[in-house]
Amino acid sequence: MSKAKLEYIWLDGYFPTQNMRSKTKIEDDFSGKLEDCPIWSFDGSSTKQAQAGKGSDCLLKPVAIFPDPARKNGYLVMAEVFNADGTPHETNSRATIDDENDDFWFGFEQEYFIMDAKTQLPLGFPVGGYPGPQGLYYCSVGGLNTHGRRIVEKHADLCIEAGLNFEGINQEVACGQWEFQIFAKGGKRAGDEIWISRYLLDRLCEEYGYYIEYHPKPVKGDWNGSGMHANFSNSLLRTCGSKEVYEKVCEAFRPVTKEHIAVYGEFNDERLTGDHETAAITDFSYGVSDRGASIRIPIITVEKGYKGWLEDRRPASNADPYKVAARIIKTVKTVEA
């Protein structure tokens, strides 16, 4: 009889920034299939998802499964939180995504800082001082300007071994800042893969005495903040071949700017200042190849005759990809060709 370790991963009830929680279930002769993952439960009163005492059970419904590359006979099980009566919990943002036919494709660019747990500073930052100014860190090579590569390389290996659609890595503009990219067809699947990749990164750092900082502006001053840029498309954007349709889609975002910002991450006002490759949080703009705009129309999309995708550059690094996808889908669906 073989034993399998199923790591159930879910989002807690903290607001506005939810945290990942996880626990392990041991199963005998597990098939490795999602349909054979049992519904489980947890104490919602310990995660701000239920009152203490009676009725504190919350249900974990498995929605995606991946092999766990760091554990023998291990699996990573992404789960939605449900109430005891079988209805989605109010903290279950995945259940709000209206994309049942997976027409919407998402490519998330997840930026983050690697922090030393002892100094609580980004890698490369000396205690009591600062490294050299920005300019030489982006996509750098060599020990003078590159910090944390062994973590990043190991994380990429883990994500690929887990079967995630992991598309790339690069050091970012600030010292100790990195990025990885995930692509998936379907808002729910894209969200699943971002959360699992975050989980693997956070867990990996436990081995090195580091932690990941997803705050969008952890280092104040003349340093880039961290985003989770959302590249998105649907059948309309992939096939329309029309500049006018693209502008119509972009304009659909303007009247709901506040609604988007509300789910684009806590402390995002510290990052979206109009500087450091951002648009001001109070503004809305779009432009071709413009990284200072709210929404960038990629030059590749234009060169292909307006058949491609758009990039919303406003989501913060700590944003919930489920909420981001749900809001973008809702806005784009208001546009008719």
Side-chain angles (χ1 to χ4, degrees), residues 25-326:
K25 185 174 182 58
I26 306 299
E27 286 287 304
D28 294 329
D29 297 321
F30 180 63
S31 69
K33 298 178 180 179
L34 180 63
E35 57 264 31
D36 292 328
C37 292
I39 291 178
W40 206 10
S41 65
F42 68 96
D43 174 18
S45 68
S46 296
T47 60
K48 293 194 174 183
Q49 288 167 301
Q51 297 294 322
K54 295 181 178 180
S56 63
D57 277 350
C58 290
L59 301 178
L60 292 172
K61 179 183 177 182
V63 293
I65 187 170
F66 306 87
D68 188 339
R71 272 176 141 180
K72 182 179 179 180
N73 296 326
Y75 296 88
L76 304 170
V77 180
M78 195 68 206
E80 289 188 29
V81 178
F82 280 74
N83 299 306
D85 63 5
T87 58
H89 194 276
E90 63 180 356
T91 62
N92 182 349
S93 53
R94 188 182 190 274
T96 68
I97 296 175
D98 181 16
D99 185 28
E100 293 307 317
N101 62 355
D102 293 341
D103 182 49
F104 281 82
W105 300 356
F106 285 89
F108 286 113
E109 303 173 29
Q110 176 69 71
E111 296 176 335
Y112 60 92
F113 280 84
I114 305 176
M115 311 290 285
D116 187 312
K118 291 182 180 179
T119 65
Q120 297 191 5
L121 293 171
L123 298 191
F125 274 66
V127 176
Y130 292 93
Q134 292 188 160
L136 292 176
Y137 302 110
Y138 177 71
C139 296
S140 64
V141 179
L144 182 62
N145 296 312
T146 306
H147 308 282
R149 190 182 296 280
R150 63 174 177 168
I151 296 289
V152 172
E153 293 286 350
K154 179 63 175 177
H155 175 243
D157 289 341
L158 291 171
C159 288
I160 292 169
E161 291 174 36
L164 302 180
N165 198 15
F166 195 87
E167 294 211 317
I169 53 177
N170 61 270
Q171 186 164 275
E172 267 301 333
V173 177
C175 183
Q177 184 188 38
W178 289 81
E179 173 187 297
F180 64 85
Q181 302 93 36
I182 291 283
F183 169 80
K185 295 180 180 180
K188 292 181 179 180
R189 181 69 180 193
D192 295 339
E193 296 207 11
I194 281 289
W195 280 115
I196 292 296
S197 60
R198 286 180 180 179
Y199 173 84
L200 287 170
L201 182 57
D202 287 346
R203 194 177 69 178
L204 174 62
C205 284
E206 295 173 6
E207 302 176 18
Y208 294 89
Y210 299 153
Y211 66 93
I212 299 302
E213 181 58 79
Y214 296 102
H215 191 293
K217 190 72 173 180
V219 184
K220 314 309 177 190
D222 192 20
W223 298 94
N224 271 35
S226 296
M228 187 186 68
H229 305 150
N231 297 274
F232 63 92
S233 71
N234 65 344
S235 294
L236 176 65
L237 292 171
R238 291 191 291 270
T239 64
C240 69
S242 167
K243 178 182 178 181
E244 290 72 24
V245 169
Y246 264 77
E247 291 179 344
K248 189 175 181 180
V249 171
C250 289
E251 283 294 342
F253 283 74
R254 189 183 300 278
V256 288
T257 296
K258 291 183 179 179
E259 288 83 350
H260 280 262
I261 293 300
V263 297
Y264 278 8
E266 187 179 12
F267 306 117
N268 209 11
D269 58 313
E270 297 179 25
R271 167 180 162 262
L272 297 181
T273 62
D275 296 322
H276 302 108
E277 299 180 280
T278 70
I281 196 169
T282 54
D283 298 337
F284 177 79
S285 60
Y286 59 90
V288 174
S289 196
D290 188 353
R291 284 178 167 78
S294 307
I295 293 181
R296 178 177 69 98
I297 304 174
I299 189 64
I300 295 176
T301 292
V302 176
E303 290 178 347
K304 289 184 176 181
Y306 282 90
K307 295 180 181 180
W309 74 97
L310 291 168
E311 178 195 29
D312 193 331
R313 297 182 54 79
R314 295 171 296 172
S317 49
N318 60 354
D320 177 357
Y322 295 140
K323 292 178 182 177
V324 173

